[in-house]
Amino acid sequence: MNEKKIKVYAQVGDDLLFDVYVTVPQDVWDEEVDGLEGAVRDDIANCDDDEDFEQDLADERYYGGYIGSADGSSHGYTSAHGRIAYHLVSCQFGSILASLGVLEQLRDAIVKDLVESDTGHQHEVELQRLKSIKNFVQAMLGEDEDDYECYEGSGSDSDEEQIVTIWDRYPLELLDELAERVYGVPQKKTIVYLHGYGSSSQSNTANYLAKNMPEYNVIAPDIPIDPAEALPFLKDYCEAHHADLVIGTSMGGMYAMQMTNCLRICVNPALHLSQVKDVLQVGTFEYFQPTADGRTHYTITQEIIKHFKEMEQSLFGSERSEGRYDCWGFFADGDTLVNCKDEFAQHFTHVFDFHGEHRMNNQIIRDIIIPAAKRILKE
């Protein structure tokens, strides 16, 4: 029997976060997608015209965001994705999971993960409560499934039943499948590459990614040298270009980490560039490659250095709790310039080592970064 694997995010208690997989029969999954496709087509048919529908989307709190996330944060979906998200936010993901019969799988996966990871036995109470839940559907949804509020991601008002919270995020592949069914043409996902310090949008890494990932729309901006200008510029850029994934290296990895509304890959992120005195210093310097508009030099002032220091003090202030699963860090074992692995690992779940130095070569991009990007975009 063919099976479909679904990635589900769940929280136990106040601070235990898990990303686990559950499986459903492929034919059951297809039936669910068929039903959602019909609902999306009905939504479109009932609109007076596209302009009205686009306005509805613009006014919708959860437009283009995590499906059912409490803060409605944008994930940069394209218009077709947004139209489908507009419908899906009215669905009760917990109810759908219940109908697919996977809640016990979810419970058992969390229990297994908790048992294996809690070597210090700090969460025995949560573990015992999880094990004792006999009717997991009731624990997740409350006595009446209609009471389930997917926007809030909680069960009923009972503390006993709120032990498990589902982050109601549909797999991105579901949005892709629905967009292709409803609108006919597969849409390319967009990858934004953020270059390192002293580099530009014309860097070797940017060009290599674009050349070797033709099935994706790979774009790269020239990052303003002053972080006070760069950070808001990059957030607007990623939103305007509907970024599905942001890849950043070194300084770009530090900026990528702060694009909290996107999936992110940070390669050797330079979280404290201001402390690397022989790199960030006052003066006028030459770019490694000219920028897209032909500029060849940039100037560092004391004020710019001050802005770097100020930003570095608040790098993790805006990170959502579930965002720990949306950011991947890759750290070279031979990086002697900046190595922020330990600090990064305090805030994010996905941390990986690779053999290399601070600056990547094409082999590392080909063998490590590109496969990781493709895997992340398909999950």
Side-chain angles (χ1 to χ4, degrees), residues 4-46:
K4 176 73 174 181
K5 186 162 64 172
I6 307 172
K7 190 174 186 178
V8 180
Y9 292 78
Q11 179 171 334
V12 178
D14 295 327
D15 57 1
L16 302 179
L17 296 171
F18 299 89
D19 54 340
V20 296
Y21 287 94
V22 294
T23 57
V24 300
Q26 183 67 51
D27 57 346
V28 176
W29 176 263
D30 291 339
E31 182 179 350
E32 184 66 43
V33 176
D34 289 342
L36 291 174
E37 178 188 357
V40 172
R41 290 186 182 278
D42 287 344
D43 277 351
I44 296 173
N46 291 331

Side-chain angles (χ1 to χ4, degrees), residues 42-53:
D42 287 344
D43 277 351
I44 296 173
N46 291 331
C47 289
D48 293 334
D49 53 47
D50 282 352
E51 183 177 348
D52 287 345
F53 196 93

Side-chain angles (χ1 to χ4, degrees), residues 29 43 68 70 72 88 99 106 122-123 131 153 164 175 220 228 265 317:
W29 176 263
D43 277 351
L88 292 184
S99 68
L106 182 60
Q122 301 177 28
H123 303 293
K131 288 182 176 180
V164 178
L175 293 180
I265 291 179

Side-chain angles (χ1 to χ4, degrees), residues 228-281:
E229 179 185 355
L231 188 58
F233 164 79
L234 291 175
K235 289 182 177 180
D236 290 344
Y237 184 92
C238 290
E239 180 177 356
H241 290 84
H242 307 295
D244 293 287
L245 173 66
V246 178
I247 301 176
T249 54
S250 191
M251 179 190 73
M254 177 268 296
Y255 282 125
M257 191 185 75
Q258 298 179 80
M259 302 298 108
T260 54
N261 293 334
C262 305
L263 299 172
R264 297 152 284 167
I265 291 179
C266 307
V267 185
N268 294 326
L271 305 184
H272 301 285
L273 188 61
S274 66
Q275 298 179 13
V276 187
K277 304 299 183 182
D278 56 343
V279 173
L280 187 63
Q281 52 186 302

Side-chain angles (χ1 to χ4, degrees), residues 154-168:
S154 61
S156 71
D157 292 335
S158 165
D159 290 339
E160 182 72 24
E161 292 175 350
Q162 280 193 7
I163 182 174
V164 178
T165 297
I166 295 177
W167 294 112
D168 314 78

Side-chain angles (χ1 to χ4, degrees), residues 37-258:
E37 178 188 357
V40 172
R41 290 186 182 278
D42 287 344
D43 277 351
I44 296 173
N46 291 331
C47 289
D48 293 334
D49 53 47
D50 282 352
E51 183 177 348
D52 287 345
F53 196 93
E54 293 294 348
Q55 185 60 48
D56 288 342
L57 290 175
D59 293 339
E60 170 58 44
R61 177 184 177 192
Y62 296 97
Y63 163 61
Y66 284 114
I67 308 310
S69 67
D71 61 1
S73 53
S74 172
H75 206 310
Y77 294 138
T78 61
S79 178
H81 281 130
R83 291 177 178 226
I84 292 167
Y86 176 80
H87 170 73
L88 292 184
V89 292
S90 66
C91 298
Q92 297 177 339
F93 190 42
S95 298
I96 292 174
L97 284 179
S99 68
L100 294 177
V102 299
L103 292 182
E104 288 191 4
Q105 288 185 49
L106 182 60
R107 178 196 62 185
D108 293 343
I110 294 174
V111 168
K112 181 176 182 294
D113 197 343
L114 187 56
V115 169
E116 293 178 350
S117 62
D118 189 23
T119 55
H121 304 291
Q122 301 177 28
H123 303 293
E124 289 187 352
V125 173
E126 289 89 344
L127 179 60
Q128 291 306 316
R129 289 173 68 185
L130 262 176
K131 288 182 176 180
S132 68
I133 296 175
K134 296 181 180 179
N135 187 343
F136 200 50
V137 174
Q138 179 178 340
M140 297 297 291
L141 305 181
E143 295 181 357
D144 184 354
E145 290 187 9
D146 292 336
D147 291 338
Y148 185 79
E149 294 288 345
C150 75
Y151 302 136
E152 297 176 0
S154 61
S156 71
D157 292 335
S158 165
D159 290 339
E160 182 72 24
E161 292 175 350
Q162 280 193 7
I163 182 174
V164 178
T165 297
I166 295 177
W167 294 112
D168 314 78
R169 192 174 83 182
Y170 269 82
L172 297 182
E173 63 187 89
L174 174 56
L175 293 180
D176 287 336
E177 184 173 344
L178 285 171
E180 183 171 350
R181 286 192 184 195
V182 174
Y183 298 100
V185 180
Q187 300 183 62
K188 282 188 175 183
K189 287 188 171 74
T190 294
I191 298 174
V192 173
Y193 172 70
L194 303 183
H195 61 75
Y197 179 78
S199 188
S200 75
S201 62
Q202 309 305 303
S203 72
N204 170 73
T205 301
N207 292 328
Y208 190 89
L209 287 171
K211 180 179 179 180
N212 291 276
M213 302 184 76
E215 68 273 37
Y216 298 94
N217 177 32
V218 181
I219 57 178
D222 287 307
I223 302 176
I225 197 63
D226 188 338
E229 179 185 355
L231 188 58
F233 164 79
L234 291 175
K235 289 182 177 180
D236 290 344
Y237 184 92
C238 290
E239 180 177 356
H241 290 84
H242 307 295
D244 293 287
L245 173 66
V246 178
I247 301 176
T249 54
S250 191
M251 179 190 73
M254 177 268 296
Y255 282 125
M257 191 185 75
Q258 298 179 80

